[in-house]
Amino acid sequence: MASEGLAGSAGVWVLGTFGVYLLVLLGIGLYSSQLMDSVDDYVIGGRSIGPVVTGFSERASEMSGWLTLGVPSDAFGTGVMAFYNGLGMIPADLFAWAGLAKRLRKYTEIVKAVTLPTFFETRLQDDTGYVKGVSAFVLMIFEGGYVGAQIVAAGTLLEVLTGVSSVIGILVGGVIVVGYTMLGGYFAVAWSDYVQGAIILAAFIILPVIAFTNYGLPFSELASVGSSYTSVTAGMTGWAAIFGIISYAAIGLGIPGNPHVMVRFMGINEVKNIRLAALVAQLFMFIAYIGAGFVGLYALVVFGQSGIEDPNNVMPLLTLEFFPGAIAGIILAAALAAMMSSADSQLLVATSAIVEDVYHGYVNPDASQDTLVRYSQYVTLALGAASVAFAFLAQNTPIYTLVLDYAWGGLGAAIGPTLIAALWWKRVTATGSVASMIVGTTTMILWTQLSTVLELLGLMGAIDGSPFLTGLVGVYGLFPAFILSTATLIVVSLLTKPPEGVDDHFKSFNKPLSALSSSGDPTGTPEYVTDGGRDVDPKAVTETDTIRAHVEESNYWDSGEE
């Protein structure tokens, strides 16, 4: 049956390697299950994951099938313009590491928040529950759809490669993802992402190198195929070119709003390791995006413009062209696994939104850690089953429409502005945050359907006559949705009362750590125990211990309740 697939005889190696790999993932889940004592361990790994694993995991959790299949496919269809995929993502990710990671790690540690909705509620001093409720709902909807989309992608690729029914691929992939995520939580997710990311990174280094040794640089060959393939605007001019570049750049706007990326910042073991983790992530991203783009360009050289019927098969076909069956099986199995590396992260975020933000926040605030861990595992299983069901229903829908237009874009527009503002703007309010989330979500969904709506209203004819309006309607929806969401956040926040005590809190984070912990400090050095319950003598003092103690002593987070 496998010989009927695209991989031919190598399909046996793909299936065999994939099977072994899945067993390894389950082993990681079983081992990681022994490391969980609290819901903090399940959701963010007890803030104990090192910088190298964190850096790899941060990238692997986001790239998934978009990197392995989407970027090569885009390069095969548009040429060198596909390198703009990194135009928004690379600087946006660098901004996130440089401008958000350290503050988010410290803030969430101080207020003991392991999820973004809980952090928002505490930071914005919201006693109505609206901020946590709306943000948790947004996460559940978009992250749940994200999981289903990744499982669809994995099942589809398995069908194309081996001839195995996509139903089997969806079911097997779903069971494995849910299994090791449920068993090992964040520990399993981070370490599995590390393994998957390392293999994919190696593939996108080796494939272009082998192609280069056989064909040299691809650009002269591309010019003979068509001038648009060597054009930085894919042959577009005027407003079409401008909005095309904007659409690529706007993809990066989704990074701050996607919790499965932000949770990596919250879970790193030490604040001082953020710089090393950022370096690892940036090197991973730069090399992977360049390599994936060259894979698509070399596929044009090797197979020709009409040589590949489905552009999504570009990376698998080039892999099979250059590698023997066994090696190709390992690489393609890793490509399948990379899709699951996003699914597991998104599944974990959706679980935390239900258990920590809804159940623990509203239903049972006094729940024990054992209860929260157990419920997290139950919810992971239930959400995983729902995502597999969604995958069956959506298996004929384009994967990247589901991911970019709804999941990635929806989270970016709804959550991103609030996260940035919560960390950097003292004046942001809970009301402004809720309004921003609603506007961002609504705009992203409606913009995706804008062309259809305009056609139904008979207005597309008038728009077609204007290059500017045509380009605007076709621009990636996250661009207008993020702008409108941010504008709403600013305007509503300025019109409503801000939380109290934020000035002093922000000042404390701008002080050197030595000033916060010095015994010569006029406020005195309060008594405290170290974070994590380290049973050593003398106890080690971390940065977060010092900051938390100072802030708690000063009552900076006091909401005013008696």
Side-chain angles (χ1 to χ4, degrees):
M1 187 172 185
S3 61
E4 298 175 3
L6 186 68
S9 59
V12 175
W13 285 104
V14 174
L15 283 175
T17 307
F18 191 51
V20 171
Y21 188 79
L22 294 181
L23 291 177
V24 171
L25 293 183
L26 285 178
I28 292 175
L30 288 170
Y31 174 76
S32 300
S33 66
Q34 304 174 31
L35 305 176
M36 291 190 302
D37 297 319
S38 68
V39 71
D40 295 46
D41 294 334
Y42 192 83
V43 176
I44 57 173
R47 305 186 198 271
S48 62
I49 303 300
V52 175
V53 174
T54 297
F56 266 90
S57 180
E58 189 261 351
R59 286 293 84 227
S61 70
E62 175 267 316
M63 287 180 169
S64 66
W66 171 244
L67 174 73
T68 53
L69 300 185
V71 175
S73 170
D74 190 33
F76 184 82
T78 63
V80 298
M81 191 179 184
F83 288 110
Y84 284 149
N85 278 290
L87 177 65
M89 292 299 294
I90 292 176
D93 192 59
L94 181 60
F95 161 76
W97 280 105
L100 303 179
K102 189 173 183 178
R103 285 183 170 236
L104 184 62
R105 173 65 176 83
K106 287 182 178 181
Y107 279 34
T108 54
E109 173 75 10
I110 288 171
V111 302
K112 300 179 181 179
V114 296
T115 66
L116 291 184
T118 297
F119 165 64
F120 291 154
E121 180 183 57
T122 308
R123 161 66 179 85
L124 302 176
Q125 300 178 17
D126 177 41
D127 57 2
T128 66
Y130 290 145
V131 169
K132 178 186 280 189
V134 172
S135 56
F137 178 77
V138 169
L139 296 191
M140 283 186 286
I141 296 299
F142 287 125
E143 293 286 17
Y146 221 142
V147 176
Q150 299 296 346
I151 294 175
V152 170
T156 301
L157 181 57
L158 193 63
E159 177 185 28
V160 169
L161 290 174
T162 67
V164 170
S165 170
S166 63
V167 173
I168 296 177
I170 288 171
L171 187 60
V172 171
V175 168
I176 298 298
V177 170
V178 173
Y180 73 77
T181 305
M182 182 180 71
L183 288 171
Y186 185 84
F187 288 110
V189 168
W191 278 98
S192 62
D193 285 353
Y194 175 61
V195 175
Q196 294 155 7
I199 297 175
I200 287 298
L201 182 62
F204 281 123
I205 293 174
I206 296 172
L207 273 174
V209 169
I210 294 178
F212 174 77
T213 59
N214 285 278
Y215 296 94
L217 289 174
F219 303 113
S220 59
E221 292 287 341
L222 292 177
S224 65
V225 175
S227 60
S228 65
Y229 289 105
T230 56
S231 168
V232 293
T233 61
M236 296 185 294
T237 59
W239 286 112
I242 292 174
F243 280 114
I245 294 173
I246 288 175
S247 292
Y248 276 114
I251 296 174
L253 295 175
I255 284 183
N258 275 260
H260 55 275
V261 178
M262 294 296 102
V263 75
R264 267 62 190 173
F265 303 157
M266 298 162 62
I268 195 169
N269 58 353
E270 298 286 351
V271 174
K272 66 181 181 181
N273 287 334
I274 285 176
R275 182 174 298 180
L276 176 57
L279 178 61
V280 171
Q282 286 294 298
L283 287 174
F284 185 141
M285 174 176 274
F286 183 79
I287 294 172
Y289 268 110
I290 297 297
F294 271 111
V295 166
L297 298 185
Y298 277 116
L300 272 169
V301 174
V302 175
F303 301 109
Q305 189 176 9
S306 58
I308 299 179
E309 184 176 348
D310 184 355
N312 284 329
N313 297 333
V314 165
M315 185 269 190
L317 279 173
L318 201 67
T319 301
L320 293 166
E321 178 74 14
F322 289 145
F323 290 105
I327 304 299
I330 294 174
I331 294 174
L332 295 176
L336 286 163
M339 298 170 190
M340 297 192 306
S341 73
S342 282
D344 57 21
S345 301
Q346 293 139 11
L347 182 59
L348 195 61
V349 168
T351 295
S352 66
I354 294 176
V355 176
E356 182 64 19
D357 298 321
V358 177
Y359 176 74
H360 194 199
Y362 295 108
V363 180
N364 187 6
D366 299 322
S368 67
Q369 292 298 316
D370 288 341
T371 299
L372 292 175
V373 170
R374 185 171 67 255
Y375 278 29
S376 294
Q377 293 173 326
Y378 294 158
V379 171
T380 298
L381 179 61
L383 282 176
S387 297
V388 169
F390 171 79
F392 283 118
L393 296 175
Q395 57 184 305
N396 295 321
T397 304
I399 302 301
Y400 302 104
T401 296
L402 289 172
V403 171
L404 285 183
D405 287 348
Y406 294 105
W408 178 263
L411 289 167
I415 303 297
T418 289
L419 179 66
I420 296 172
L423 294 174
W424 283 100
W425 190 33
K426 303 170 188 176
R427 189 65 178 73
V428 63
T429 68
T431 306
S433 173
V434 171
S436 171
M437 292 178 191
I438 294 173
V439 169
T441 300
T442 304
T443 303
M444 188 66 214
I445 293 175
L446 291 179
W447 200 275
T448 303
Q449 304 297 327
L450 188 57
S451 296
T452 302
V453 173
L454 291 174
E455 286 181 1
L456 292 175
L457 296 176
L459 298 176
M460 279 303 294
I463 290 175
D464 288 339
S466 169
F468 172 79
L469 292 178
T470 301
L472 181 61
V473 169
V475 77
Y476 179 37
L478 182 52
F479 175 64
F482 193 91
I483 291 175
L484 291 176
S485 178
T486 302
T488 301
L489 179 71
I490 294 172
V491 171
V492 176
S493 292
L494 291 175
L495 294 176
T496 50
K497 183 179 179 181
E500 299 177 356
V502 178
D503 283 339
D504 291 335
H505 178 68
F506 269 58
K507 288 177 183 177
S508 73
F509 277 91
N510 291 329
K511 290 181 181 180
L513 291 172
S514 59
L516 297 180
S517 58
S518 172
S519 59
D521 193 302
T523 62
T525 303
E527 295 294 328
Y528 55 84
V529 296
T530 59
D531 176 53
R534 299 174 178 84
D535 295 324
V536 295
D537 189 23
K539 290 183 177 294
V541 178
T542 66
E543 292 179 331
T544 49
D545 296 328
T546 304
I547 295 171
R548 178 195 293 165
H550 181 80
V551 173
E552 287 180 349
E553 181 72 8
S554 303
N555 294 320
Y556 287 156
W557 283 100
D558 186 3
S559 62
E561 296 179 357
E562 297 295 328

